[in-house]
Amino acid sequence: MEAAASGGSGSGPPLLLSEGEQQCYSELFARCAGAAGGGPGSGPPEAARAAPGASTAASGPVADLFRASQLPAETLHQITELCGAKRVGYFGPTQFYVALKLIAAAQSGLPVRIESIKCELPLPRFMMSKTDAEIRFGNMAELHGTKVQIPYLITEKNTFKRMDDEDKQQETQSPTMSPLASPPSSPPHYQRVPLSHGYSKLRKSTEQMHPAPYEARQPLVQPEGPSLGGPGAKPLRHQASLIRSFSVERELQDNNSSYPDEPWRITEEQREYYVNQFRSLQPDPSSFISGSVAKNFFTKSKLSIPELSYIWELSDADCDGALSLPEFCAAFHLIVARKNGYPLPEGLPPTLQPEYLQAAFPKPKWECALFDSYSESVPANQQPRDLNRMEKLSIKDMADFPVPTQDVTGDDKQALKSATDEALPKDMSEDSATPKDSNSLKARPRSRSYSSTSIEEAMKRGEDPPTPPPRPQKTHSRASSLDLNKVFQPSVPASKSGLLPPPPALPPRPCPSQSEQASEAELHPQLNRAPSQAAESSPAKKDIPYSQPPSKPIRRKFRPENQATESQEPTTAVGGPASVATVKPHPTVQKQSSKQKKAIQTAIRKNKEANAVLARLNSELQQQLKEVHQERIALENQLEQLRPVTVL
Amino acid sequence: MVHTSLDVVDEKISAMGKALVDQRELYLGLLYPTEDYKVYGYVTNSKVKFVMVVDSSNTALRDNEIRSMFRKLHNSYTDVMCNPFYNPGDRIQSRAFDGMVTSMMIQVC
């Protein structure tokens, strides 16, 4: 009936709306039109009644609704044009329905075309923020369509009650009135939903218009989707409230949780890593990495040029040809995700937006000035209250990860589904092994917590499942010149044999800075010049380093770096000095037998720091190389500038 | 068709000679009796040429519209250029760029 009516009234292609979609659209239309003040038909508007004044949705509420769909402005423009609203000048029922369908298509990741609406689509989702007159437009669509996405992490029944209360408050008619309005986290929540929904939808509809590579990655993102899904259009009202509660809890936790958004959230650890890399390319964290430098760096990731180009497009928000720290982190994160198999998003996810990144992530200890604002960020605010939930969720996330990891290569969605469904209760203990690493790793940042966001990071371990393990590898593959393995190994034996601090494990940088080392002895336990120190001043230094807190070396790391004008291959020199170092400490070992254990621990810690320093030193070398590249590029640019004048 | 228009653009450029300040060049007139289209040319400071071919059936296109379209095109092009992974001369694969161009064309139609 509706289809016929809409088909008859519209000038566009015939719309085939399912029952659920009909209800949803008509309610939304009614809302829009009602908000405009005119008395809209409560039922499906028909062609006969299409008097321009009465049954059209005013552009104001319609625009708000569209904006609530969280699609980029350009997409909305396209949709508006496609649905013909511009042509007729107003949003008649047909146009409105077409627009809604297009919104659903866009949210599912399908291109916005007239053809898109012909296939069966999930219902469009709209997210309202607090400011938008509370609950004007509902997520009724989501309710109907979300069976597909009911997250497995359904632990929070308390939200259910809340839902019920809000239900009562709202008109009985509209399941559209969903409480999703509440949270500042709604945008991220929303963003997550289309991602997940899109994938599940794709799974269902045998990839009609979606590029092939993207399909392959679906299971990763929403393993639980299909398990719950029937076809998207099942308007079960009684289910609606249930789903709403899930969506709400999802919302609440969303800020700190990671599921559908998982790939796009940066954990504390990752953040640090990215910042380190940034510093290696550009010592000043507040300035930019130029395009060519970044290009060289990212090219090492071995992604294809078009993909890198696309990632750049996404991450360079201000299109200035250079990457600031948050932009760099976003780009790096996208590369990491891509390497681990996640398809690239259509647009920059909210968690990767530069503003978000800058606010949410404090700078590493040595530089907090720029990130003082993080405390004001939403995530920080939400954490305390969501902490409990997060913990639960994180455990569940952990459980999930081993499963998706296994299935990364295969398209075994069903296996994933069932696996995850069962995994939740059972495998938590089994899978704890895998997440343990991530847990322990996260525990470190957590303990360090220079911000409440560290908890957030810890919580959303949900991260890319494969990321933690591969990352170390990535380090090696990406920065091939950083031969950390080799560096570390020689240092380890050296430290062990030495037992004592001169963990000259620090590859002997036969730096001329030895004299300086002596003066800085208090501050540089073994860090950098350890190698050089080891040879000569090791005995003297042994006592001093013990007292050094680990943080000091970090702060001082730059100095050694500056001093290290000549950077030698750490690997080559490790062997020699290490042996030398070990010889000297021996006599002193006996003296300090009582302090051995402490020394070992500090040595281990310092070794790690030393490794980090070495890594930076290596990258400094690379930077020098890049400078040469830049000069070359500058010259080429000049040449190009001159060329047109001569050629044309 | 496009090649002939490019030749005309080259002519114009060489004719401009010293006065390279004028950024915009509206060349309206390549109207073949049979083909019935108009070609607009636009040259940037770096000698990158944009050529727009329009059907004459669409008579509503005003001069200002064409100029604004070229300006938007130029802006998007510079954004694409900012990408260090983009090699000048390659086919532009930027989605944002394509989207902008498509939306522009849709507006006109």
Side-chain angles (χ1 to χ4, degrees):
Chain A
M1 50 172 180
E2 312 313 327
S6 53
S9 63
S11 55
L15 274 186
L16 298 176
L17 300 177
S18 61
E19 189 187 323
E21 287 173 323
Q22 260 309 318
Q23 286 170 341
C24 168
Y25 292 175
S26 57
E27 292 204 27
L28 288 172
F29 185 81
R31 208 168 304 273
C32 285
S42 55
E46 289 164 355
R49 290 199 274 137
S55 62
T56 62
S59 54
V62 169
D64 285 340
L65 175 66
F66 285 2
R67 248 176 278 127
S69 69
Q70 301 285 338
L71 291 174
E74 238 184 80
T75 313
L76 291 177
H77 280 309
Q78 274 181 333
I79 289 175
T80 319
E81 290 153 14
L82 279 175
C83 76
K86 288 209 172 160
R87 241 178 297 152
V88 294
Y90 58 84
F91 265 104
T94 317
Q95 286 79 31
F96 190 73
Y97 287 12
V98 174
L100 288 175
K101 208 74 167 114
L102 288 171
I103 287 176
Q107 289 168 355
S108 309
L110 302 174
V112 178
R113 298 268 181 277
I114 294 295
E115 306 81 46
S116 312
I117 62 176
K118 295 206 172 121
C119 56
E120 183 184 295
L121 287 172
L123 297 171
R125 268 152 271 124
F126 300 101
M127 189 64 54
M128 300 301 293
S129 64
K130 267 182 184 165
T131 56
D132 281 345
E134 272 287 292
I135 306 152
R136 258 193 338 193
F137 302 107
N139 251 20
M140 161 158 101
E142 177 181 45
L143 301 181
H144 294 307
T146 37
K147 290 94 286 151
V148 183
Q149 328 172 8
I150 295 178
Y152 55 89
L153 31 97
I154 296 168
T155 51
E156 314 313 323
K157 301 304 176 190
N158 51 355
T159 59
F160 191 91
K161 282 187 206 157
R162 226 185 76 187
M163 291 307 84
D164 291 340
D165 290 341
E166 300 196 52
D167 282 349
K168 290 166 196 163
Q169 292 167 11
Q170 301 155 14
E171 316 167 52
T172 55
Q173 271 307 337
S174 47
T176 58
M177 296 305 216
S178 77
L180 300 173
S182 51
S185 64
S186 58
H189 162 51
Y190 176 81
Q191 197 67 14
R192 210 186 27 180
V193 165
L195 196 63
S196 64
H197 201 117
Y199 286 121
S200 56
K201 167 67 187 171
L202 290 169
R203 247 173 284 158
K204 284 188 294 184
S205 67
T206 48
E207 319 69 39
Q208 295 176 4
M209 307 182 200
H210 210 78
Y214 284 43
E215 298 166 21
R217 308 306 171 192
Q218 291 163 14
L220 297 180
V221 182
Q222 277 302 320
E224 75 281 6
S227 62
L228 306 169
K234 259 197 267 170
L236 303 174
R237 300 278 173 111
H238 67 274
Q239 243 185 5
S241 53
L242 248 187
I243 296 169
R244 215 177 319 153
S245 72
F246 299 151
S247 59
V248 170
E249 65 177 295
R250 237 187 307 150
E251 234 177 75
L252 292 171
Q253 297 139 6
D254 180 70
N255 223 2
N256 304 325
S257 77
S258 49
Y259 2 107
D261 236 357
E262 321 163 347
W264 314 124
R265 281 190 174 263
I266 302 185
T267 62
E268 183 57 38
E269 205 181 283
Q270 287 183 327
R271 170 80 176 187
E272 271 188 47
Y273 179 74
Y274 299 158
V275 172
N276 284 341
Q277 293 294 320
F278 183 94
R279 296 168 144 304
S280 70
L281 296 177
Q282 167 68 274
D284 179 7
S286 60
S287 80
F288 295 85
I289 291 185
S290 71
S292 49
V293 171
K295 175 181 178 177
N296 292 337
F297 184 74
F298 288 137
T299 310
K300 286 188 246 169
S301 69
K302 306 237 183 344
L303 285 181
S304 66
I305 295 291
E307 287 188 354
L308 288 173
S309 173
Y310 183 61
I311 287 176
W312 177 279
E313 232 184 277
L314 287 179
S315 58
D316 190 9
D318 46 7
C319 283
D320 55 358
L323 296 180
S324 64
L325 181 59
E327 287 174 348
F328 176 83
C329 292
F332 209 126
H333 197 72
L334 286 169
I335 288 179
V336 167
R338 188 77 184 103
K339 288 219 76 130
N340 289 321
Y342 288 96
L344 294 175
E346 293 287 326
L348 197 62
T351 52
L352 288 183
Q353 301 277 352
E355 311 78 38
Y356 177 90
L357 284 176
Q358 253 179 352
F361 291 85
K363 293 199 91 177
K365 16 192 163 175
W366 47 78
E367 248 142 296
C368 309
L370 293 176
F371 288 85
D372 286 337
S373 59
Y374 67 76
S375 54
E376 308 159 4
S377 70
V378 167
N381 296 338
Q382 296 230 331
Q383 281 154 15
R385 82 174 178 191
D386 293 338
L387 200 54
N388 299 337
R389 294 196 201 106
M390 294 335 313
E391 276 162 348
K392 280 192 191 172
L393 288 172
S394 63
I395 295 174
K396 292 200 174 230
D397 290 343
M398 301 293 176
D400 263 348
F401 286 107
V403 177
T405 313
Q406 299 158 16
D407 292 342
V408 162
T409 51
D411 249 357
D412 200 353
K413 308 156 194 164
Q414 281 73 28
L416 262 182
K417 265 189 298 185
S418 47
T420 52
D421 286 347
E422 286 148 358
L424 288 181
K426 299 182 207 162
D427 299 350
M428 276 204 279
S429 53
E430 302 167 9
D431 297 334
S432 60
T434 329
K436 241 183 229 169
D437 293 341
S438 41
N439 264 334
S440 60
L441 286 175
K442 282 196 315 162
R444 262 192 296 146
R446 215 181 300 171
S447 60
R448 257 185 280 162
S449 72
Y450 29 81
S451 81
S452 52
T453 57
S454 62
I455 300 173
E456 173 189 46
E457 274 43 85
M459 286 317 155
K460 68 167 139 172
R461 176 34 252 213
E463 226 12 90
D464 328 70
T467 301
R471 215 179 314 142
Q473 299 163 9
K474 208 188 262 270
T475 313
H476 299 304
S477 64
R478 171 185 293 274
S480 50
S481 62
L482 280 185
D483 219 345
L484 292 179
N485 270 337
K486 285 193 210 161
V487 166
F488 192 77
Q489 282 165 13
S491 68
V492 168
S495 62
K496 282 185 183 165
S497 55
L499 279 185
L500 299 178
L506 285 208
R509 238 174 230 160
C511 274
S513 51
Q514 291 177 7
S515 56
E516 299 160 33
Q517 295 310 320
S519 60
E520 298 171 3
E522 318 167 31
L523 303 172
H524 295 281
Q526 299 70 33
L527 273 197
N528 15 38
R529 307 316 156 187
S532 47
Q533 299 176 16
E536 311 189 3
S537 50
S538 55
K541 299 237 169 106
K542 275 179 218 154
D543 296 329
I544 300 168
Y546 297 120
S547 55
Q548 296 310 319
S551 60
K552 277 202 176 177
I554 294 174
R555 247 181 265 134
R556 288 287 172 174
K557 67 182 181 314
F558 284 114
R559 291 187 64 186
E561 280 178 315
N562 293 338
Q563 294 156 4
T565 50
E566 59 275 352
S567 31
Q568 289 101 22
E569 286 297 335
T571 54
T572 55
V574 170
S579 55
V580 173
T582 58
V583 170
K584 293 214 172 168
H586 282 310
T588 54
V589 170
Q590 291 128 17
K591 293 181 198 171
Q592 302 168 348
S593 54
S594 59
K595 295 185 187 173
Q596 277 180 11
K597 285 181 184 173
K598 282 187 196 171
I600 292 173
Q601 286 168 2
T602 50
I604 290 173
R605 229 182 303 133
K606 284 159 189 171
N607 278 339
K608 288 182 185 165
E609 288 153 9
N611 285 337
V613 170
L614 283 172
R616 281 186 220 107
L617 281 164
N618 272 332
S619 33
E620 234 192 354
L621 265 182
Q622 291 172 18
Q623 206 171 4
Q624 291 173 6
L625 195 79
K626 283 163 197 166
E627 285 167 12
V628 175
H629 277 307
Q630 281 172 356
E631 290 171 13
R632 204 193 93 200
I633 289 166
L635 286 173
E636 284 177 0
N637 281 340
Q638 289 176 12
L639 189 66
E640 276 189 15
Q641 284 165 9
L642 293 171
R643 201 184 290 154
V645 174
T646 56
V647 169
L648 296 180
Chain B
M1 164 171 86
V2 176
H3 293 131
T4 49
S5 48
L6 277 178
D7 289 339
V8 178
V9 173
D10 278 343
E11 277 179 38
K12 288 264 163 175
I13 288 183
S14 56
M16 269 158 46
K18 298 139 203 171
L20 281 174
V21 183
D22 189 7
Q23 199 189 38
R24 285 162 299 124
E25 174 221 281
L26 280 189
Y27 184 73
L28 182 63
L30 251 189
L31 199 64
Y32 294 137
T34 53
E35 306 225 29
D36 202 29
Y37 65 91
K38 296 180 191 169
V39 178
Y40 295 93
Y42 182 94
V43 173
T44 70
N45 288 331
S46 51
K47 300 292 179 185
V48 178
K49 301 173 206 50
F50 295 119
V51 176
M52 215 185 297
V53 180
V54 186
D55 267 346
S56 285
S57 51
N58 187 348
T59 52
L61 276 183
R62 290 192 314 259
D63 188 40
N64 286 335
E65 288 174 13
I66 301 286
R67 282 174 208 242
S68 68
M69 281 168 67
F70 270 125
R71 214 169 317 139
K72 278 196 262 181
L73 200 61
H74 194 175
N75 288 336
S76 305
Y77 181 74
T78 50
D79 285 346
V80 169
M81 278 289 138
C82 282
N83 189 333
F85 298 105
Y86 172 76
N87 300 317
D90 285 353
R91 208 171 150 237
I92 294 180
Q93 283 160 334
S94 152
R95 296 193 202 183
F97 183 82
D98 293 341
M100 190 282 303
V101 172
T102 318
S103 68
M104 223 167 58
M105 298 200 297
I106 289 178
Q107 278 173 11
V108 174
C109 312

